[in-house]
Amino acid sequence: MEIFLSALETLWRLDVILALLVGAVGGVIIGAIPGVGPAVAIAILLPATFSMEPIVGLTMLLGIYGASMYGGAIPAILINTPGTPVNALTTYDGHAMTRQGQAGRALSLAYSASFFGGIFSVICLVILSPYIAKVAPLFGSRDILMAALLGVILVIIAHRGKTFAAGMLVFFGMFLDTVGMESVRYTKRFTFDQSWLLSGFDLIVVLLGLFALSQAFVLLVGRDRKTQVAPVAGKLFSGMAELFRYKRVAACSSGFGVIMGIIPGVGEFLAQFFSYTLAQNLSKEPQRFGHGSPEGLIASESANNAVPAAAMIPLLALGIPGEALTAMMLSVFYVHSIIPGPALFQTQPDFLVTLYLCLFLVNILVLVVLMMTTNTLLKVINVPGRFLGACILVLSFVGVYSLRNSIIDCAACAVFGLIGYILKRLKLPLVPIILGMVLGGIMEQRFRASLARIETPLDFINRPVSGTIFAIIIIALIAHGVALVRARKKRLLNPGI
Amino acid sequence: MAQKQDNASGIFAVEEQPGEAIFALAVCVAAAVLVLQIDDQTKWLEGSSLLVQPRFWPSLCLAGFSIFALCHLLSSVARQARSGKYGFFPWAELSNWAQPLEYALYFMGYVFLVPQLGYLPTTLLVLPALTLRSGYRKGRVLLAAAAVGLCTVLVFKSFLQVRIPGGHFYELLPDGLRNFLILYF
């Protein structure tokens, strides 16, 4: 109770309230503009949050993360263009409903499902916290090493159809992290006698290049789209009542979102995919999926909104980010010397409770904002792309230059921007590079820490936790192999697919 | 975006992209160059076991990088040979890859100008100029660009106090104004 009251006191501070508002409103706007997305916004804002208190910075970033998915549903439903990549499945049924003249109903359902998913995952986070606090200290170096390895493997195999490319990019990210002076023997690695390479590649420089600057390039060299968006009619509150009719779909999908959020390296795409497929299989009207099914829309939106809070679980408990956005947030912890991991639950429970309350409030705030301002928000959908690109380019400068006022950092950021641009043209994922950098660093550190207790390679997995995670890795690899064989057989039987 | 399908697997649909084989080849070459440099660019400490060598971890990363890059190259070439949709050198696509170079140069120009002119004047100059370069000619859009530039400076430098040093140009201004500009703009 004392911790809860202390958290409430922190929450009542003006800077935290402002961060909540900026996160919620800013996130919705960013999500509603196709071509920006939370990764760009968080990458740009990240260095600015370093001067804030950790709870203020994290509240703002988490607000943007969560709120952008709500906002991303608006263009997905109205103009068939997902505002953020994770709203891709929302277009299937959401836009179909718009074509049938039910845009208001679709938006209302999407908001309600998103709210349900968001709150569901925060409740799961709160319920799971005492257990996480008990389990997390059981994780030693070898266990965290295995958990990070699981993350790396899942990142690779979760990119169906692009497994080799994802593997290549994960290892590229891991390699980038090794560049510079290593901290144990103080030897140089791949510095090519360049003094600026001694400190290696800063994660934020790479992030800003790959996510923000590359997106600026994409928009600047692209063409503006012009779409007519009609004002949304109807009561946006009505979706709550309709959602109640599909409570089983919403609960199952949110559950998938939570599970996929907890598992490092998986994220929103698989959560959406599994929940949508399950909802379709369980539905009495599976043929309506993809043609305006409210169940499909609920499945997609509740699953992806359940991920952000759940993704905080491996980050807070083990210090292992599950996807790119929580990897970015890890920097906020490190800058303020807060080490996420098992000890955090013992040493700073009030910080965690404040964070949970912020996540809870962000969802309520976003829902209120959306219910009141949807028709106003429609204007941002049509912000010209090239103009937006110019703005992102200028904003990227703040992020990278304010780190250490280094022109070399800016040049490196520009190079990563060009790499990111080519990867985007090739439709290759950027997230594996970032996760490779972060998880690679964690793995090397834990690997070295484990060596004192290692005599044979089997010692890495002779602890109950590391052994269990290793078994999960093997099962995941076998399941992936089986899925590949099945897909190949299916292709051979139906060459048209 | 992937073509819409009736089931969710559409979000994983992989379409062949022009230039993917040449990109995969370039990555393979880069990986090979890095592998060849490993002897020069990392240290091997005599008397220490393999696992504690400073060379061990980068070698592991490069091994993974090279193997996956090679597999990616083979699968890209095979896919391209199967479909015959794009040539090995799709020149149009390769010229597309070079297009953002111009904007990367503008970005670097902005980076060099800020310490000279100061953050506010450079931003007020660069953002409308970029907007103009992007093809917008209406005064309203250029004004909006200047307004966004001003807001950016106000939010990040004046309000959030991010670390961007004052420009050399500010040194030419009278004392009071100079200090004010260095601190807030």
Side-chain angles (χ1 to χ4, degrees):
Chain A
M1 192 62 191
E2 203 178 307
I3 294 170
F4 183 73
L5 288 176
S6 150
L8 274 184
E9 202 180 324
T10 310
L11 209 62
W12 196 238
R13 278 172 26 197
L14 184 67
D15 51 356
V16 180
I17 294 172
L18 264 176
L20 265 171
L21 278 170
V22 170
V25 179
V28 167
I29 295 171
I30 285 158
I33 306 174
V36 183
V40 175
I42 291 177
I44 290 169
L45 284 172
L46 203 54
T49 60
F50 292 165
S51 58
M52 302 171 185
E53 277 187 46
I55 191 67
V56 180
L58 280 171
T59 299
M60 191 164 78
L61 299 182
L62 274 170
I64 290 172
Y65 182 12
S68 64
M69 288 183 198
Y70 282 81
I74 300 174
I77 289 169
L78 298 180
I79 60 167
N80 201 23
T81 305
T84 68
V86 298
N87 296 103
L89 272 179
T90 306
T91 59
Y92 281 36
D93 295 290
H95 188 64
M97 288 170 87
T98 301
R99 284 200 310 270
Q100 293 157 13
Q102 301 176 13
R105 183 187 169 210
L107 280 175
S108 173
L109 264 179
Y111 297 162
S112 309
S114 300
F115 180 73
F116 184 88
I119 295 293
F120 183 92
S121 67
V122 177
I123 291 170
C124 286
L125 183 63
V126 173
I127 292 172
L128 287 173
S129 267
Y131 302 102
I132 299 167
K134 277 183 194 157
V135 173
L138 300 178
F139 278 69
S141 284
R142 280 171 279 177
D143 310 314
I144 293 179
L145 169 68
M146 280 298 147
L149 179 64
L150 173 67
V152 164
I153 287 169
L154 290 177
V155 171
I156 297 172
I157 64 180
H159 284 90
R160 287 173 52 171
K162 294 175 185 169
T163 313
F164 293 141
M168 175 181 89
L169 296 170
V170 163
F171 278 103
F172 174 61
M174 285 172 68
F175 168 72
L176 281 180
D177 186 67
T178 65
V179 173
M181 186 80 86
E182 53 103 12
S183 57
V184 178
R185 303 288 182 108
Y186 298 103
T187 64
K188 295 176 200 167
R189 299 193 298 198
F190 286 93
T191 56
F192 298 96
D193 292 328
Q194 301 293 312
S195 57
W196 60 273
L197 272 176
L198 282 176
S199 54
F201 290 104
D202 193 291
L203 177 70
I204 293 169
V205 173
V206 181
L207 269 171
L208 275 160
L210 286 178
F211 286 95
L213 210 50
S214 71
Q215 192 57 26
F217 294 156
V218 168
L219 292 167
L220 280 163
V221 302
R223 287 188 184 157
D224 289 349
R225 65 195 142 60
K226 192 76 191 164
T227 38
Q228 286 297 322
V229 189
V232 178
K235 287 178 186 168
L236 290 174
F237 292 94
S238 60
M240 281 293 175
E242 195 173 356
L243 181 80
F244 194 71
R245 277 174 41 208
Y246 301 109
K247 51 188 178 297
R248 197 175 59 162
V249 176
C252 287
S253 306
S254 305
F256 265 122
V258 170
I259 294 167
M260 297 297 163
I262 293 174
I263 302 172
V266 180
E268 292 94 346
F269 271 108
L270 275 185
Q272 267 187 329
F273 173 72
F274 283 129
S275 55
Y276 193 89
T277 308
L278 182 79
Q280 191 173 20
N281 290 338
L282 295 178
S283 172
K284 287 175 188 160
E285 301 172 301
Q287 73 285 355
R288 282 190 69 193
F289 278 67
H291 303 283
S293 162
E295 291 169 276
L297 183 59
I298 290 169
S300 158
E301 279 299 304
S302 48
N304 65 32
N305 279 273
V307 172
M312 294 303 286
I313 294 175
L315 180 73
L316 296 173
L318 305 174
I320 294 177
E323 33 73 77
L325 299 181
T326 39
M328 296 184 198
M329 287 175 207
L330 191 61
S331 321
V332 182
F333 282 96
Y334 283 153
V335 164
H336 293 282
S337 305
I338 296 174
I339 309 298
L344 191 67
F345 286 82
Q346 266 96 44
T347 55
Q348 306 204 32
D350 48 340
F351 172 81
L352 292 174
V353 174
T354 314
L355 208 60
Y356 300 161
L357 284 173
C358 285
L359 278 166
F360 190 80
L361 284 177
V362 158
N363 280 288
I364 295 172
L365 258 174
V366 172
L367 189 70
V368 174
V369 168
L370 280 169
M371 294 291 185
M372 294 192 322
T373 63
T374 292
N375 276 323
T376 315
L377 275 170
L378 298 184
K379 291 188 182 106
V380 300
I381 294 178
N382 274 330
V383 174
R386 281 170 292 141
F387 177 73
L388 209 58
C391 296
I392 294 175
L393 188 137
V394 166
L395 285 166
S396 302
F397 164 81
V398 192
V400 68
Y401 194 69
S402 63
L403 272 179
R404 42 191 180 193
N405 296 156
S406 159
I407 289 176
I408 287 171
D409 277 352
C410 295
C413 181
V415 171
F416 281 108
L418 292 170
I419 295 173
Y421 172 82
I422 295 173
L423 290 174
K424 281 178 179 169
R425 294 268 329 165
L426 292 168
K427 301 217 171 5
L428 293 178
L430 303 175
V431 174
I433 301 180
I434 300 304
L435 284 182
M437 269 187 96
V438 176
L439 295 178
I442 292 170
M443 281 168 70
E444 185 181 9
Q445 194 191 0
R446 297 296 175 168
F447 176 79
R448 284 176 186 266
S450 310
L451 286 178
R453 297 179 192 88
I454 298 299
E455 283 170 14
T456 68
L458 281 178
D459 291 341
F460 279 110
I461 51 169
N462 69 357
R463 285 169 53 87
V465 178
S466 65
T468 309
I469 299 174
F470 184 71
I472 295 170
I473 291 174
I474 299 295
I475 292 167
L477 287 173
I478 293 171
H480 181 65
V482 170
L484 284 181
V485 171
R486 274 189 190 163
R488 191 175 165 76
K489 272 186 187 166
K490 206 172 166 185
R491 262 205 314 272
L492 289 173
L493 288 172
N494 307 294
I497 292 178
Chain B
M1 205 178 69
Q3 200 185 351
K4 198 172 129 176
Q5 296 180 9
D6 286 355
N7 59 43
S9 59
I11 57 167
F12 295 110
V14 181
E15 292 167 55
E16 187 191 349
Q17 300 300 322
E20 60 180 31
I22 190 80
F23 176 77
L25 179 68
V27 174
C28 274
V29 171
V33 169
L34 289 171
V35 169
L36 289 174
Q37 293 288 323
I38 202 153
D39 211 28
D40 271 353
Q41 295 300 324
T42 56
K43 281 232 158 53
W44 181 270
L45 303 173
E46 292 302 329
S48 300
S49 72
L50 172 74
L51 297 183
V52 297
Q53 290 294 339
R55 183 173 294 173
F56 176 73
W57 200 257
S59 306
L60 199 74
C61 298
L62 280 179
F65 181 42
S66 312
I67 293 167
F68 275 106
L70 191 64
C71 293
H72 179 54
L73 172 66
L74 294 176
S75 71
S76 301
V77 170
R79 188 158 45 193
Q80 207 162 4
R82 257 199 321 267
S83 75
K85 206 163 147 191
Y86 306 108
F88 192 76
F89 285 104
W91 294 109
E93 179 60 17
L94 296 185
S95 70
N96 270 333
W97 292 359
Q99 265 186 317
L101 270 174
E102 179 196 349
Y103 293 100
L105 288 175
Y106 292 149
F107 177 73
M108 287 314 294
Y110 181 40
V111 170
F112 280 107
L113 273 178
V114 167
Q116 306 306 321
L117 290 181
Y119 187 33
L120 178 69
T122 313
T123 308
L124 288 181
L125 192 78
V126 167
L127 197 46
L130 264 177
T131 310
L132 207 61
R133 169 64 191 91
S134 307
Y136 302 103
R137 297 289 180 269
K138 284 184 184 165
R140 210 177 57 176
V141 183
L142 297 177
L143 210 64
V148 170
L150 179 66
C151 288
T152 304
V153 176
L154 286 176
V155 169
F156 285 96
K157 176 83 178 169
S158 315
F159 180 63
L160 291 173
Q161 294 278 305
V162 296
R163 284 185 304 171
I164 295 177
H168 295 314
F169 169 70
Y170 293 168
E171 300 293 334
L172 305 173
L173 299 169
D175 280 355
L177 184 63
R178 184 184 61 205
N179 293 343
F180 179 73
L181 285 175
I182 288 176
L183 208 59
Y184 295 108
F185 298 102

